[in-house]
Amino acid sequence: MLIVDPYILQQASCRASMLVATAGFRPHDWEDLRQELVLDCLRRSPKFDSSRGDWAGFVRGVVRNHATVLATRRHRAAQREV
């Protein structure tokens, strides 16, 4: 079993809540959003370079960027619906 950094969970939870509140996701999507944000951060964690910044900044940036991708995808999908 993989132990996930509590900071990743905190940031993913916060961003998932923001996506539900502002990007048109439904409340029952919250857990899936959080899980996807955590997974993306874990997938990118080998690229962390301590000479470029600290771990917390890396996590915030990765989670923020992926939340933006999810919101953009949702917005574009909504525009295509007739």
Side-chain angles (χ1 to χ4, degrees):
M1 176 160 181
L2 180 66
I3 303 298
V4 178
D5 181 359
Y7 190 70
I8 295 174
L9 292 174
Q10 176 197 18
Q11 288 298 305
S13 298
C14 180
R15 288 290 170 175
S17 296
M18 289 175 66
L19 287 171
V20 168
T22 63
F25 288 96
R26 295 189 175 107
H28 70 269
D29 294 329
W30 185 86
E31 185 62 40
D32 292 335
L33 291 166
R34 184 177 82 139
Q35 186 175 20
E36 185 154 348
L37 293 166
V38 169
L39 180 62
D40 186 63
C41 192
L42 292 175
R43 195 178 309 133
R44 295 176 191 275
S45 65
K47 295 181 181 182
F48 171 65
D49 181 2
S50 60
S51 67
R52 295 182 63 197
D54 66 343
W55 174 249
F58 176 81
V59 170
R60 281 192 309 272
V62 169
V63 171
R64 181 188 65 234
N65 290 345
H66 195 61
T68 302
V69 167
L70 293 173
T72 301
R73 286 180 188 162
R74 173 90 169 110
H75 180 71
R76 287 182 181 162
Q79 286 180 332
R80 281 186 245 134
E81 291 179 5
V82 176

